[in-house]
Amino acid sequence: MDSLDQPLDQSLDRPLGGAEFAPKKTYLNTSTCGLMPRRTVEAVTLLAQETADGRPGGSGSFEIVDEARATFARLVGTAPERVAVGSSVAVHCGMIAQSLPAGSEVLFPEGDFSSVITPFTIRGDLKVRFAPLERLAGAVRPETGLVALSAVQSADGRTADLAAVREAAAVHGARTLLDATQAAGWLPLRAGEWDYTVAGGYKYLLCPRGASFLTVTEEAQDSLLAIHANWVTGEDRWVNSYGPVRELARSARRFDEPMAFLSYHGAARSLALLEEVGIERIEVHNKGLAARFRAGLRSLGHAPVEDDSTVVAVPGLGDRADALERAGVLLSARAGNLRASFHLYNTTADVDRALDVLGG
């Protein structure tokens, strides 16, 4: 594809992040897994080598973990004391699910990601209800105890009216849980507006898999049971190696899982890069590429899901993913959709290559 009718934003011709990325294919699949920056690979490799050599002080640095915690907090507009670290969204959601009183009603959008929903449905003593994403705010009612949703839908990239959901929850006294896995790293967020947020680090946050983040407001903290409390969750880590933990951390650190240090040594470097580039700048870049792709799809006679998300889905075109991969363009198929997802390392050349293959 040579050009589109719309004038080209020249800034989209260049990736953000400079020499940190060097993909060998046209990679439009961040919603499945983000590319790791060069600096992240170096940090993980260094720790692995140090551990192989016999690293003094154990298998990693708590200071670097806390560096990652603090950078993530700045990226989502909250304080480090409100952030817990872990391994996956499912584990964070499991803790929230196990902390709800029996009989609580939990409201989800239809078709949201299973790792957000399943920890609640397996309890068996919760009332689980679903509503269409576009009508989620209107489905909140006085008996709703928790509204849980993804900021960006994994299957098709749709975004909810987040302000309306928060307002409806506040009116009815319901707590809120936002899965930011498909949003944190490109969409400006204020985690403190939600009782809980969760985010897997290996997508738009560019972290190695095994790093994830939970934010908890100070008000909501007392409602959570630290079901995987361990020696690192003590207010003073170094007096809790033997016997029961004497005092849990007063901050959200009480909800930490034991850290996968390789993941967090890498995460600290990835999150620093995102902060250097700037989430607002990444948002403009990503949305510009997604808009170009949607326009190109329409010119080819396809009908993408309309949204201003960085995730672009084309219903009924999922069976083209394999042919695109053979042509060196990596996307994904989700729920029958062909799904492309753009991030800071993509450019207009990537968009046009995918459109060329689809149009060929």
Side-chain angles (χ1 to χ4, degrees), residues 170-252:
V171 166
H172 294 293
R175 292 206 183 275
T176 52
L177 164 60
L178 184 73
D179 177 11
T181 300
Q182 298 287 358
W186 72 268
L187 184 66
L189 297 168
R190 298 197 63 82
E193 295 177 340
W194 305 86
D195 293 291
Y196 320 107
T197 75
V198 293
Y202 66 99
K203 298 180 188 286
Y204 292 90
L205 293 172
L206 310 176
C207 302
R209 186 155 189 163
S212 65
F213 302 91
L214 164 71
T215 72
V216 184
T217 63
E218 189 172 2
E219 179 186 11
Q221 178 169 303
D222 290 341
S223 68
L224 285 189
L225 179 64
I227 59 174
H228 46 254
N230 60 90
W231 76 276
V232 304
T233 63
E235 178 63 23
D236 182 349
R237 288 190 184 108
W238 302 106
V239 301
N240 291 299
S241 297
Y242 308 103
V245 172
R246 300 175 189 181
E247 179 189 11
L248 288 177
R250 301 182 192 107
S251 68

Side-chain angles (χ1 to χ4, degrees), residues 15-23 34-43 67-68 70-72 74-75 184-186 201 203-208 213 264-283 343-346:
L16 305 178
E20 289 286 350
F21 303 99
L35 300 180
M36 282 195 291
R38 196 179 305 273
R39 66 176 71 180
T40 302
V41 176
E42 291 172 353
E67 179 185 325
T71 307
F72 177 79
R74 291 191 296 272
L75 290 174
W186 72 268
K203 298 180 188 286
Y204 292 90
L205 293 172
L206 310 176
C207 302
F213 302 91
Y264 278 94
H265 276 236
R269 304 296 295 275
S270 293
L271 298 174
L273 173 63
L274 292 172
E275 188 172 39
E276 290 165 18
V277 176
I279 298 300
E280 290 79 8
R281 186 180 174 201
I282 295 170
E283 179 189 22
H343 207 11
L344 75 166
Y345 34 68
N346 293 125

Side-chain angles (χ1 to χ4, degrees), residues 292-302 304 312 314 317 355 358:
R292 181 182 180 89
F293 189 54
R294 287 189 180 91
L297 287 166
R298 288 191 291 268
S299 74
L300 294 173
H302 302 300
V312 181
V314 192
L317 216 61
L355 291 170
L358 284 169

Side-chain angles (χ1 to χ4, degrees), residues 111 113 152-158 182 311 313 333-335 337-339:
F113 195 67
V152 178
Q153 292 294 300
S154 172
D156 58 17
R158 288 180 300 150
Q182 298 287 358
V311 183
R334 293 292 185 272
N337 302 316
L338 182 69
R339 187 186 70 180

Side-chain angles (χ1 to χ4, degrees), residues 117-205:
I117 298 170
T118 310
F120 297 89
T121 59
I122 64 167
R123 277 258 325 238
D125 60 353
L126 300 176
K127 299 174 183 176
V128 177
R129 194 161 56 88
F130 298 88
L133 182 69
E134 64 275 11
R135 298 203 293 271
L136 188 66
V140 184
R141 55 193 188 188
E143 55 267 40
T144 304
L146 177 72
V147 185
L149 72 156
S150 296
V152 178
Q153 292 294 300
S154 172
D156 58 17
R158 288 180 300 150
T159 54
D161 185 341
L162 300 182
V165 172
R166 288 196 306 271
E167 181 180 353
V171 166
H172 294 293
R175 292 206 183 275
T176 52
L177 164 60
L178 184 73
D179 177 11
T181 300
Q182 298 287 358
W186 72 268
L187 184 66
L189 297 168
R190 298 197 63 82
E193 295 177 340
W194 305 86
D195 293 291
Y196 320 107
T197 75
V198 293
Y202 66 99
K203 298 180 188 286
Y204 292 90
L205 293 172

